[in-house]
């Protein structure tokens, strides 16, 4: 009889996290999931039974994350797969956003993820097994979105630390995967998951135009299906060899190829300058 893995999913009360948790429970997996409000999470998931452990956790509090990990292990015996999904979008150009707005986005999107990794790693090391899926964004691979600079930076940071994590744990039987979703038909672009600059500056035409495009054209027309994303997560998690980079959605896949082409063009065009600095 196949033993079902234990999943730990952060930021699970909406979006891709919620779709994933529901599918996992329907398929008989044990799932611990976090949200800022455990009751809201319980209501959204709508599952009553021993397979589900909803947790109210402030991911910015390292001690609280540590307690949550202990709680999960005491209930389910272990953790096999971690999905660091908690995060929010912060809109605003680099000049517009205050230091506080920028740091808060890093606190949730980057340091919350670090706290989870730090507290789960002793368990993964002990059993020489485990998988991390850290949710970046296509904006964590291609950053040319005006007005998304701080959010991009948090998601580039998630990608960077995950690359290092995969190298640090390669001899331990532990995998780390960066997930770069494109646009999925979730509530990510709606209030609560997306914040705008407190003090916008009218001169930033490109940023305002992109905001209008998101509000008027992209919301409701996102090409990605959250249910299919959840199925893809489970499929990849059950593989013996998991990728370091996982692009989700044809839009994400296309933009990634565009960025790679742009890099190759710059490498070729400026090759002589690049190599001119050697001794």
């Amino acid at each position: 009889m196949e033993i079902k893995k234990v999943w730990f999913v952060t930021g699970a009360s909406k979006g891709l996290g919620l779709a994933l948790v529901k599918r996992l429970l329907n398929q008989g997996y044990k799932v611990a999931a976090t949200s800022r409000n455990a009751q809201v999470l319980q209501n959204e998931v709508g599952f009553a039974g021993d397979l589900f452990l909803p947790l109210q956790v402030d991911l910015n509090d390292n001690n609280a994350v540590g307690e949550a990990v202990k709680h999960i292990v005491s209930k389910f015996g272990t953790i096999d797969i971690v999905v660091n999904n908690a995060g929010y979008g912060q809109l605003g150009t680099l000049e517009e956003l205050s230091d506080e707005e920028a740091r808060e986005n890093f606190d949730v999107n980057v340091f919350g993820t670090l706290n989870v990794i730090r507290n789960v790693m002793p368990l993964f090391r002990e059993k020489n097994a485990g998988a991390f899926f850290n949710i970046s964004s296509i904006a964590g691979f291609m950053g040319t979105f005006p007005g998304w600079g701080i959010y991009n930076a948090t998601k580039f940071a998630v990608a960077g630390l995950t690359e290092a994590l995969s190298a640090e744990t390669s001899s331990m039987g532990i995998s780390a995967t960066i997930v770069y979703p494109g646009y999925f038909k979730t509530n990510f672009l709606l209030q609560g998951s997306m914040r705008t600059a407190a003090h916008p500056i009218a001169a930033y035409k490109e940023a305002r135009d992109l905001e209008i495009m998101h509000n008027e054209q992209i919301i409701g027309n996102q090409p990605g299906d959250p249910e299919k994303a959840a199925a893809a997560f489970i499929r990849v998690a059950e593989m013996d060899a998991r990728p370091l980079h996982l692009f989700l959605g044809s839009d994400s896949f296309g933009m990634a190829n565009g960025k790679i082409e742009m890099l190759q063009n710059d490498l070729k065009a400026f090759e002589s300058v690049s190599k001119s600095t050697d001794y």
Side-chain angles (χ1 to χ4, degrees):
M1 183 180 154
E2 183 197 7
I3 297 172
K4 291 280 194 179
K5 292 186 170 74
V6 177
W7 288 64
F8 176 24
V9 183
T10 69
S13 63
K14 51 191 169 185
L16 293 180
L18 178 59
L20 176 60
V21 166
K22 284 181 167 181
R23 180 171 282 259
L24 286 167
L25 291 168
N26 286 337
Q27 293 187 11
Y29 289 92
K30 293 173 181 172
V31 182
T34 76
S35 176
R36 285 169 293 182
N37 187 315
Q39 192 56 56
V40 168
L41 176 59
Q42 180 77 63
N43 295 344
E44 289 293 332
V45 173
F47 183 94
D50 285 344
L51 294 178
F52 183 42
L53 177 61
L55 296 164
Q56 189 162 311
V57 184
D58 177 3
L59 296 175
N60 290 330
D61 181 342
N62 189 57
N63 291 330
V65 175
E67 289 303 312
V69 168
K70 283 182 195 165
H71 193 162
I72 297 163
V73 174
S74 70
K75 180 172 173 66
F76 293 140
T78 191
I79 297 168
D80 298 302
I81 297 160
V82 172
V83 180
N84 277 303
N85 175 65
Y88 69 93
Q90 176 63 68
L91 283 182
T93 65
L94 298 181
E95 182 188 355
E96 286 169 336
L97 291 181
S98 67
D99 186 66
E100 188 180 11
E101 286 169 309
R103 286 176 187 275
E104 192 171 344
N105 205 208
F106 268 89
D107 280 343
V108 175
N109 293 9
V110 181
F111 289 100
T113 293
L114 268 175
N115 284 341
V116 172
I117 292 167
R118 194 182 290 122
N119 282 283
V120 172
M121 268 307 300
L123 175 65
F124 279 7
R125 275 192 294 106
E126 190 183 332
K127 61 182 194 168
N128 281 312
F132 287 101
F133 288 89
N134 295 334
I135 311 302
S136 178
S137 162
I138 188 55
F141 186 77
M142 188 182 91
T144 49
F145 300 102
W148 291 71
I150 293 300
Y151 177 74
N152 292 351
T154 68
K155 293 305 188 178
F156 269 83
V158 167
L161 68 86
T162 307
E163 286 195 3
L165 180 64
S166 75
E168 290 165 357
T169 60
S170 62
S171 65
M172 299 178 184
I174 298 163
S175 69
T177 299
I178 311 156
V179 184
Y180 304 93
Y183 289 110
F184 279 82
K185 202 165 284 181
T186 68
N187 50 12
F188 177 73
L189 295 175
L190 304 177
Q191 205 60 37
S193 292
M194 184 67 66
R195 301 180 193 178
T196 53
H199 302 288
I201 299 168
Y204 283 103
K205 179 184 182 303
E206 292 85 354
R208 296 297 90 78
D209 287 350
L210 189 58
E211 282 176 23
I212 290 165
M213 192 171 99
H214 277 95
N215 288 330
E216 295 181 2
Q217 295 170 35
I218 296 177
I219 288 180
N221 296 307
Q222 299 99 315
D225 179 346
E227 295 303 322
K228 290 180 179 175
F233 266 114
I234 298 168
R235 189 169 138 210
V236 173
E238 292 295 352
M239 291 176 179
D240 291 330
R242 304 176 193 101
L244 174 54
H245 302 277
L246 178 63
F247 293 88
L248 287 186
S250 56
D251 55 345
S252 175
F253 191 88
M255 284 188 265
N257 272 317
K259 167 74 180 270
I260 290 164
E261 191 180 331
M262 190 168 67
L263 278 171
Q264 287 176 329
N265 289 341
D266 280 352
L267 284 168
K268 194 172 175 184
F270 295 93
E271 182 177 359
S272 63
V273 178
S274 297
K275 292 181 175 177
S276 71
T277 61
D278 295 352
Y279 276 110

